[in-house]
Amino acid sequence: MDRDQHELQFLGFPGVYRESSKIILKWRKIFAQITLALILPLCVVFLAHSLVSHLLTFRIVDHEDDRDYASEGSQSYRDLSHALKKEWVAFWLTMLGYFIFVFIFSLLSTSAVVYTVACIYAAKQITFKKIMSVVPRVWKRLMATFLWTFVTFVAFFVVAVALLIGWVVIVSAFLVGSGLAIAVLVILLILYVVVFVYLTMIWQLASVISVLEDVYGRKAMVKSRRLIKGKMGMSVGCFLGVMLWSALVEGLFECLVVLDLVQGIGIKIAGGLICLLLLLMVVLFDLVVQTVIYFVCKSYHHENIDKSSLSEHLEVYLGDYVPLKANSVQLEQLHV
């Protein structure tokens, strides 16, 4: 990262994108190794799950339709019921395996990329072997932060469902006009999206904090909320940009591979490989962007990270990963 710390605070989301691109291009060898080792399995499973879940869902729907037309108690009905039980078991086992795999490799990928960008920032020598030795020691901190985030999202979804049920009850009980009912529903949907995006950004920044500092879990989320103040617009722009590209890649994969909108196995294979390559780039870019946002927010709040101290805390000492400590690198406040 060639920019001076003071300059980072002035970056908007286009500047963050440019800085992230420069980092990836300059250190493309090490990022390529991380991508092949950690991000590639994550993306392969993500796309494969999209295809497999689609096939299982359509098979279940077809068999349920066939069973509806079969006479209850007939051999055909029993065979279809037995097949449906197996398919539902396969569906939920696939979902469980998918979430476990994605959960683990997401944490490992985040650990590797955040640590790498921090080493680049500190002008510290890094090798792929060293990165892979550090990753298993820091992912537990990320897991603690994820669990707190999960609890927060569950509470958010419960409140959202409660508000939706309340809206339905009020509309039904008081015969609210359709215009007013739709207006209230639109407001609720907007609030839902705003809070969802906000919580996601808090989670992403908290993940970076969990790797680079000595706080994690709830404390990392609290600190993330404080750091993101003043840079909300930049963070939202970065988040929405990456989300847009992710949605485009997923939509392209659905059209070319999942939904049979194109004919020919060769075209499907080529389309799948192109989507995989694009998704690899999007995921890597997103993780680098999240780390750059951390340094931008630090700079914005005039919290100066000493590069030599950061380098020391990134060292693996006697096999133990030493994160940034709040009292030593916590960044002395620069009063301007």
Side-chain angles (χ1 to χ4, degrees):
M1 198 178 297
D2 299 326
R3 288 180 180 268
D4 183 79
Q5 273 191 62
H6 181 69
E7 297 177 1
L8 290 175
Q9 64 180 302
F10 302 111
L11 292 181
F13 83 89
V16 171
Y17 278 9
R18 285 194 298 270
E19 193 69 25
S20 301
S21 300
K22 290 178 183 178
I23 292 172
I24 294 173
L25 291 174
K26 186 174 181 179
W27 297 86
R28 53 186 173 273
K29 181 179 179 180
I30 195 74
F31 282 117
Q33 291 173 317
I34 293 172
T35 300
L36 291 175
L38 299 175
I39 300 178
L40 177 60
L42 177 65
C43 293
V44 168
V45 169
F46 176 81
L47 294 178
H49 172 262
S50 177
L51 178 60
V52 172
S53 62
H54 174 84
L55 294 175
L56 285 174
T57 301
F58 268 75
R59 181 174 295 180
I60 289 172
V61 171
D62 288 341
H63 283 171
E64 286 184 341
D65 288 341
D66 292 339
R67 190 177 64 172
D68 290 339
Y69 288 101
S71 299
E72 188 171 352
S74 65
Q75 184 62 38
S76 176
Y77 186 91
R78 289 194 295 270
D79 290 342
L80 287 171
S81 297
H82 183 67
L84 279 169
K85 288 181 181 179
K86 288 185 176 180
E87 288 164 359
W88 275 114
V89 170
F91 177 82
W92 288 114
L93 287 177
T94 300
M95 292 290 290
L96 178 62
Y98 166 74
F99 282 117
I100 292 175
F101 188 92
V102 168
F103 172 70
I104 293 174
F105 272 84
S106 294
L107 297 184
L108 295 177
S109 300
T110 301
S111 302
V113 174
V114 171
Y115 177 81
T116 302
V117 176
C119 287
I120 293 171
Y121 178 84
K124 174 180 167 58
Q125 285 293 108
I126 51 173
T127 63
F128 179 68
K129 184 178 180 180
K130 179 179 289 187
I131 292 171
M132 295 305 291
S133 68
V134 169
V135 165
R137 301 187 181 104
V138 298
W139 79 280
K140 293 180 181 179
R141 302 166 60 84
L142 277 174
M143 183 170 64
T145 301
F146 172 82
L147 291 176
W148 270 101
T149 305
F150 178 77
V151 171
T152 303
F153 270 102
V154 168
F156 164 63
F157 289 139
V158 168
V159 172
V161 171
L163 289 175
L164 182 60
I165 293 174
W167 173 81
V168 172
V169 170
I170 292 174
V171 169
S172 302
F174 297 96
L175 301 177
V176 178
S178 59
L180 179 59
I182 293 174
V184 173
L185 180 60
V186 169
I187 292 174
L188 290 176
L189 288 175
I190 292 174
L191 288 175
Y192 175 87
V193 172
V194 169
V195 176
F196 179 82
V197 171
Y198 177 73
L199 289 178
T200 302
M201 292 187 299
I202 293 295
W203 169 37
Q204 291 179 344
L205 189 55
S207 297
V208 179
I209 292 172
S210 299
V211 176
L212 297 183
E213 300 190 18
D214 63 342
V215 294
Y216 55 92
R218 183 183 63 83
K219 292 181 179 179
M221 294 181 66
V222 171
K223 186 162 189 177
S224 173
R225 182 172 174 270
R226 179 180 64 80
L227 277 180
I228 209 170
K229 288 181 179 179
K231 280 295 180 179
M232 185 64 68
M234 177 269 295
S235 301
V236 171
C238 292
F239 173 78
L240 293 181
V242 172
M243 286 296 295
L244 176 61
W245 280 106
S246 300
L248 289 175
V249 173
E250 188 174 356
L252 182 63
F253 183 78
E254 292 279 340
C255 294
L256 294 178
V257 180
V258 177
L259 298 179
D260 290 331
L261 297 182
V262 295
Q263 300 299 321
I265 188 66
I267 296 178
K268 289 187 177 183
I269 293 175
L273 291 175
I274 291 173
C275 291
L276 176 61
L277 179 61
L278 292 174
L279 188 60
L280 288 172
M281 293 189 291
V282 170
V283 173
L284 174 61
F285 185 73
D286 181 37
L287 293 175
V288 175
V289 164
Q290 292 175 28
T291 313
V292 173
I293 288 175
Y294 166 80
F295 288 107
V296 170
C297 291
K298 283 289 191 182
S299 177
Y300 177 79
H301 288 281
H302 309 298
E303 297 183 352
N304 179 44
I305 300 178
D306 181 68
K307 292 187 178 182
S308 61
S309 298
L310 175 59
S311 179
E312 291 175 5
H313 285 282
L314 291 173
E315 286 289 344
V316 180
Y317 180 67
L318 295 178
D320 294 324
Y321 173 74
V322 184
L324 270 170
K325 290 191 177 292
N327 55 1
S328 60
V329 199
Q330 181 67 43
L331 318 166
E332 65 187 61
Q333 298 288 333
L334 301 179
H335 300 287
V336 293

